[in-house]
Amino acid sequence: MQNPRDVKTVADAKRIVEERGLSHVKVGLFDNDGVMLGKYMSKAKFFSALENGFAFCDVILGWDSKDQLYDNVNYTGWHTGYPDAPVRILPETCREIPFEDGMLLFMGEFSEQAEALCPRGTLRRVIEKADELGFDVFGALEYEFFMFQETPESAREKGFRNLKPLTPDWFGYSILRNSVHSDLYHQILNLGETMDFPIEGIHTETGPGVIEAAITVDSAINAADKAALFKTFIKVLAQRNELMATFMAKWSGDYPGQSGHIHLSLRNKSDGKSAFYDPDQQNNISKIQRHFIAGQQRLMPEFLPMIAPTVNSYTRLIPGFWAPTDATWGVENRTTALRVIPGSDKSQRVEYRLGSADANPYLSLAAALASGLQGIINEWEPEEQVKGNAYEQQHSPELALPSTLWDAAQKFKQSSATRSMLGDDFVDHYAASREWEEREFRKHITDWEMDRYFEII
């Protein structure tokens, strides 16, 4: 029987569905916020869609993570009548869903006019720019996420307060915790193998119930697919175990935020060698890697809403909690926004540590890559590397990051670099979606405000 990983073509996709005797398959794609949306589709409809595409109502490009409709975008809205948007199915994304009795999942991406706004399509266009420059792109993402002994119902009954983490106390890298809960860890590892987002390493992080998982490196588009599926199906697996997983950037002021670090490297298409590795230079940093770092550093403030996409993202970016506050870089320095990891031809890379767990993997990877490519194109040089604790040092004002989602969105839409690398349609639409997110937040009264002002003011 055909293995899902061997599916590459339309014919392969049809063959594996027939071999498994499936009457339906699952089809999904990712929206602005990195949320996977989709449906079960009959075999006949799926076979037709493989050849001719199909359509989703374009409202999924025009609403937020709570299904509330944007009122400030041009592509879709009441003014367009919410027509269908065309979608292509990607046979090579075939996965088996292990707990659905042989069910297959295929991913799709928007096409035609909607492709300009599609997160996966946006990343693919940036990768094509790297290809034109003579580079193959490789990436890997790693995520921190909290697990709770809660269900969607219990969390809402509690008003998302006083939630019970899977495990108590601060206990990073704990063999005790991962041995006691080994059944869950093995389920995660097995899920990664079956669904082709293999886990390179997984361990407890510092904080109650927090886990960190590193996904194995792959070509950039595959790395983003793996990360997006990882986030989706970790939440599915948790709920099937009467647990909940959250990838919020910061769910409590008492604990560190949750990161979504991005590891990137370039290899020369001409000879297959690392474009980042030069053993004759200090820390093996090649000229190309130096320019790449410079681009990431200089443009980090402009690409920030793709890396920190929610109001909550900015609660994580404070000193002393393992999240950077300025666009700094250093060698093996975890207090900086960019961490150069010296190694061999195989392992020389840069870690974009600013990324938070709530980011859409396609867009965060696109931002990290696009900004680096701009550095190569313009042959920029980075600022002096930071040595020691970056939080305790003064940095150039140009390296300061916007402190709110609104400010980040303004910088993003005014940037010539974002427009040249991502396209005007995407920049305008995505900036509007982040402005909407901030406006929605302003409508609500927080617990902090009630506690601070209700009686005293």
Side-chain angles (χ1 to χ4, degrees):
M1 182 170 290
Q2 193 173 20
N3 188 310
R5 297 187 192 187
D6 295 330
V7 174
K8 305 298 180 188
T9 66
V10 168
D12 293 338
K14 290 181 177 180
R15 186 180 309 115
I16 194 170
V17 171
E18 293 282 16
E19 286 178 352
R20 293 188 176 219
L22 297 177
S23 64
H24 292 75
V25 298
K26 189 174 282 189
V27 175
L29 76 174
F30 289 87
D31 71 4
N32 249 1
D33 292 294
V35 178
M36 193 173 201
L37 305 169
K39 62 178 80 174
Y40 289 100
M41 186 180 286
S42 72
K43 182 175 74 171
K45 174 69 174 176
F46 177 68
F47 283 6
S48 172
L50 280 169
E51 299 282 359
N52 306 305
F54 71 107
F56 272 112
C57 174
D58 77 357
V59 71
I60 66 176
L61 289 168
W63 67 19
D64 63 18
S65 59
K66 295 289 283 186
D67 290 6
Q68 300 304 298
L69 305 174
Y70 301 146
D71 63 7
N72 60 344
V73 296
N74 293 321
Y75 171 77
T76 188
W78 292 118
H79 62 287
T80 68
Y82 291 110
D84 282 346
V87 174
R88 69 173 69 90
I89 292 176
L90 307 166
E92 69 276 13
T93 64
C94 178
R95 261 81 171 178
E96 179 178 344
I97 303 176
F99 35 74
E100 291 198 39
D101 193 26
M103 174 59 62
L104 295 174
L105 169 70
F106 288 84
M107 294 165 60
E109 62 181 20
F110 289 103
S111 61
E112 297 180 19
Q113 184 184 357
E115 188 167 352
L117 311 182
C118 177
R120 193 178 192 275
T122 298
L123 172 60
R124 185 166 37 73
R125 290 192 298 276
V126 177
I127 294 170
E128 287 167 0
K129 292 180 185 295
D131 183 79
E132 292 168 4
L133 292 170
F135 302 115
D136 290 321
V137 186
F138 292 85
L141 288 90
E142 56 185 24
Y143 288 104
E144 296 166 352
F145 57 98
F146 276 82
M147 292 284 249
F148 295 90
Q149 296 184 47
E150 303 288 351
T151 66
E153 293 74 25
S154 71
R156 285 165 172 78
E157 287 168 2
K158 292 181 175 183
F160 296 95
R161 301 180 187 89
N162 302 313
L163 302 178
K164 185 178 181 181
L166 175 65
T167 55
D169 213 348
W170 299 53
F171 206 168
Y173 296 102
S174 171
I175 292 295
L176 174 61
R177 294 283 187 255
N178 69 19
S179 298
V180 170
H181 295 279
S182 60
D183 287 350
L184 177 63
Y185 279 82
H186 282 286
Q187 286 184 55
I188 293 172
L189 294 172
N190 292 336
L191 180 70
E193 292 297 322
T194 302
M195 295 198 70
D196 192 23
F197 47 79
I199 307 300
E200 185 176 84
I202 185 169
H203 60 87
T204 62
E205 253 294 354
T206 296
V210 63
I211 297 172
E212 179 173 338
I215 306 168
T216 302
V217 65
D218 205 333
S219 63
I221 197 70
N222 289 337
D225 286 343
K226 292 176 191 299
L229 289 169
F230 171 84
K231 289 182 65 177
T232 300
F233 282 91
I234 285 294
K235 287 179 277 192
V236 171
L237 181 68
Q239 292 189 29
R240 291 178 65 88
N241 282 277
E242 297 294 306
L243 301 170
M244 287 188 76
T246 183
F247 288 82
M248 278 184 69
K250 198 173 179 74
W251 73 273
S252 169
D254 297 329
Y255 307 115
Q258 299 182 95
S259 66
H261 296 161
I262 306 158
H263 294 254
L264 273 173
S265 63
L266 302 180
R267 302 194 78 81
N268 299 316
K269 297 181 72 67
S270 58
D271 59 12
K273 294 182 179 180
S274 171
F276 282 1
Y277 177 72
D278 184 346
D280 296 326
Q281 299 300 316
Q282 187 174 12
N283 297 306
N284 304 328
I285 299 174
S286 72
K287 179 177 72 172
I288 292 295
Q289 186 176 29
R290 198 172 67 246
H291 294 328
F292 191 85
I293 295 164
Q296 289 187 316
Q297 180 180 40
R298 183 180 298 195
L299 296 177
M300 191 176 290
E302 298 174 30
F303 281 86
L304 185 60
M306 296 173 71
I307 299 291
T310 71
V311 172
N312 182 251
S313 302
Y314 296 81
T315 65
R316 169 178 167 264
L317 303 180
I318 57 176
F321 273 97
W322 297 98
T325 53
D326 295 278
T328 53
W329 78 280
V331 176
E332 283 293 8
N333 190 333
R334 286 184 167 87
T335 69
T336 56
L338 299 167
R339 170 186 168 226
V340 173
I341 302 174
S344 63
D345 176 88
K346 182 179 179 180
S347 61
Q348 182 89 11
R349 63 192 187 276
V350 60
E351 179 187 22
Y352 202 104
R353 291 185 56 79
L354 182 70
S356 58
D358 58 356
N360 181 330
Y362 296 104
L363 298 186
S364 62
L365 208 161
L369 175 60
S371 54
L373 293 179
Q374 277 284 291
I376 294 173
I377 292 168
N378 293 290
E379 297 186 340
W380 289 335
E381 292 294 333
E383 301 279 340
E384 192 71 25
Q385 71 157 299
V386 172
K387 297 181 180 180
N389 188 347
Y391 300 121
E392 295 179 345
Q393 301 177 33
Q394 293 294 316
H395 308 292
S396 168
E398 287 76 22
L399 302 182
L401 300 173
S403 59
T404 68
L405 181 58
W406 183 270
D407 290 344
Q410 305 318 300
K411 207 167 199 54
F412 176 76
K413 70 180 182 181
Q414 293 163 10
S415 166
S416 60
T418 61
R419 292 183 179 278
S420 68
M421 296 301 290
L422 308 172
D424 288 335
D425 288 342
F426 175 81
V427 170
D428 290 338
H429 186 84
Y430 189 72
S433 76
R434 297 311 94 188
E435 291 172 346
W436 164 270
E437 191 77 9
E438 177 93 11
R439 284 167 46 213
E440 286 293 284
F441 172 70
R442 291 179 192 172
K443 294 178 182 178
H444 294 84
I445 310 303
T446 65
D447 291 346
W448 184 89
E449 291 169 278
M450 293 296 290
D451 177 71
R452 192 172 187 87
Y453 303 132
F454 187 85
E455 178 185 4
I456 307 300
I457 291 298

